[in-house]
């Protein structure tokens, strides 16, 4: 990659490695205003292409020059066209998500602006967003070296691209109208359809009716889900249980319940786009062989860093769950808890329930040296209680 792509595109400071080269050109990573060592990601090349704004700008110049960088043709123009073409066909759960080859595609800027193509990146301490408007040969690159930026990176990139478009062409992208704070009683059909447990990227979420609205439990964090003027349900929490407060960038995120391809799903709505936010879990009976495996577990194959603090198999309200508490390496004060719903497939295999990234993975019961262990995502678990 370095010889065939990076150096010919005049990207000398870009390289693929599991960590960062320690030199004066390398940015430091920060967590809670303190410099922290870089945490290695689990795979290559995910999280392992290290670059800077100057080099990434040269990459976008190659895209705008139809594959040419200086006197060298890096990619054929037909290849670039294919990269920027929607590839997903009729995948039923993609909804408004459009993906090319390595590019995420978006037409929300409008026909005059043309297609927005982009890709974001994130590790534990660094975040990035690259967005281009191929039609007008405009690009924005935003990089950050702190773990606290969240969605701000993407918002900064989007707003900068809108302003660059106005400055170059006079084309203005209409801002989304703000919702009022007025809430409405939940629709009767939703009181029947929405309640239940859902598999989401945040873990297992429980939605239950509470008068004319819903309560949402996300790993012990309890929020209200209220109907607003756009006909969607939005998250809200109350200070001391009394004063309703918005949730910052989540204020514009709405939810509806739908059935797609025979599966009950929770649809998220954000900035004019729809995506699958979760799939409803149907309560079931747990086979006796898996009932005998319920309890707390410890990891047997971790030698140095203690990444997993806690693992437990549970069965609650007809839902089979794997509860994990993870400690991020080199960030000892930060723990991440997640409760993952499982679906039993055989006496020795269960899979992660739901749709999307990380769903469908398998947890297996295996025999090692005469004792049963659970194998999941490279870890071996031994039952301790």
């Amino acid at each position: 990659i370095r010889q065939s792509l990076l150096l010919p595109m005049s990207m000398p400071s870009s390289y693929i490695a599991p960590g960062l080269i320690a030199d004066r050109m390398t940015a430091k990573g920060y967590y809670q205003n303190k410099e922290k060592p870089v945490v290695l990601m689990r795979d290559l090349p995910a999280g392992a292409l290290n670059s800077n704004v100057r080099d990434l700008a040269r990459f976008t110049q190659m895209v705008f020059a139809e594959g040419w960088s200086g006197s060298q043709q890096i990619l054929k123009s037909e290849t670039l066209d294919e990269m920027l073409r929607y590839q997903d066909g009729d995948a039923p759960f993609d909804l408004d998500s459009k993906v090319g080859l390595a590019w995420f595609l978006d037409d929300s800027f409008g026909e005059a602006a043309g297609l927005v193509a982009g890709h974001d990146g994130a590790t534990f301490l660094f975040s990035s967003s690259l967005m281009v408007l191929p039609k007008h040969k405009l690009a924005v690159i935003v990089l950050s070296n702190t773990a606290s930026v969240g969605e701000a990176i993407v918002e900064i990139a989007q707003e900068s691209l809108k302003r660059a478009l106005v400055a170059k062409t006079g084309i203005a992208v209409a801002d989304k109208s703000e919702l009022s704070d007025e809430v409405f009683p939940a629709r009767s059909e939703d009181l029947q359809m929405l309640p239940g447990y859902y598999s989401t990227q945040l873990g297992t979420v429980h939605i239950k009716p509470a008068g004319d609205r819903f309560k949402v439990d996300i790993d012990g964090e309890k929020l209200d889900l209220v109907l607003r003027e756009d006909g969607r349900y939005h998250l809200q929490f109350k200070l001391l249980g009394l004063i309703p407060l918005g949730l910052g960038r989540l204020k514009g995120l709405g939810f509806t319940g739908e059935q797609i391809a025979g599966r009950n799903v929770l649809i998220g709505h954000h900035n004019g786009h729809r995506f699958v936010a979760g799939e409803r879990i149907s309560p079931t009976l747990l086979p006796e062989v898996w009932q005998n495996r319920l309890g707390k577990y410890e990891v047997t194959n971790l030698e140095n860093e203690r990444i997993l603090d806690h693992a437990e198999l549970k069965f609650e309200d007809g839902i089979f769950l794997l509860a994990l508490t993870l400690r991020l390496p080199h960030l000892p004060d930060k723990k991440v808890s997640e409760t993952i719903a499982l679906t039993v497939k055989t006496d020795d295999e269960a899979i992660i329930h739901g749709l999307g990234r990380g769903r469908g993975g398998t947890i297996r019961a295996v025999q090692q040296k005469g004792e049963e262990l659970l194998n999941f995502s490279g870890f071996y678990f031994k039952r301790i209680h």
Side-chain angles (χ1 to χ4, degrees), residues 23-248:
D23 63 17
R24 64 183 183 84
M25 296 297 293
T26 298
K28 305 294 185 182
Y30 291 86
Y31 173 73
Q32 293 186 346
N33 298 319
K34 295 180 181 179
E35 182 183 325
K36 295 289 182 179
V38 172
V39 179
L40 301 184
M41 302 295 283
R42 68 175 194 173
D43 296 321
L44 288 173
L49 174 57
N50 304 296
S51 190
N52 59 27
V53 170
R54 181 183 60 190
D55 281 13
L56 291 174
R58 293 201 172 120
F59 169 75
T60 64
Q61 288 174 334
M62 181 275 296
V63 174
F64 297 154
E66 298 184 349
W68 287 85
S69 181
S71 60
Q72 296 190 66
Q73 187 172 21
I74 308 299
L75 295 173
K76 295 179 181 179
S77 60
E78 308 94 88
T79 303
L80 278 173
D81 290 343
E82 193 67 11
M83 291 172 69
L84 294 168
R85 187 180 70 82
Y86 179 47
Q87 299 285 335
D88 289 29
D90 297 322
F93 299 106
D94 281 2
L95 302 181
D96 295 333
S97 299
K98 295 180 173 62
V99 183
L101 297 177
W103 291 101
F104 294 94
L105 309 176
D106 180 2
D107 55 11
S108 63
F109 277 25
E111 186 176 350
L115 185 74
V116 181
H119 202 109
D120 305 329
T123 62
F124 292 119
L125 299 176
F126 297 87
S127 300
S128 62
S129 183
L130 165 64
M131 292 185 182
V132 301
L133 282 171
K135 181 177 180 180
H136 301 286
K137 297 185 177 181
L138 286 170
V140 169
I141 301 150
V142 183
L143 309 181
S144 172
N145 60 335
T146 176
S148 61
V149 294
E151 294 182 0
I153 285 289
V154 176
E155 292 184 0
I156 291 168
Q158 288 178 335
E159 185 62 25
S160 299
L161 195 58
K162 290 177 183 179
R163 296 188 182 204
L165 180 65
V166 171
K168 183 174 183 179
T169 69
I171 298 171
V173 179
D175 291 328
K176 304 298 180 183
S177 58
E178 287 287 328
L179 290 174
S180 73
D181 290 330
E182 186 178 4
V183 299
F184 302 88
R187 292 182 289 258
S188 58
E189 61 268 27
D190 294 330
L191 289 170
Q192 299 296 319
M193 181 178 183
L194 272 182
Y197 288 88
Y198 291 83
S199 297
T200 77
Q201 293 298 314
L202 298 176
T204 303
V205 171
H206 188 195
I207 299 176
K208 46 192 172 183
D212 62 354
R213 61 183 59 194
F214 298 98
K215 290 285 186 182
V216 181
D217 189 328
I218 307 174
D219 264 329
E221 185 76 22
K222 293 178 172 57
L223 305 169
D224 286 340
L225 195 62
V226 298
L227 183 64
R228 295 198 182 277
E229 60 186 328
D230 60 356
R232 298 161 188 162
Y233 292 90
H234 294 254
L235 292 169
Q236 180 189 74
F237 74 93
K238 294 182 179 181
L239 181 64
L240 303 178
L242 300 173
I243 307 170
L245 296 176
L247 291 173

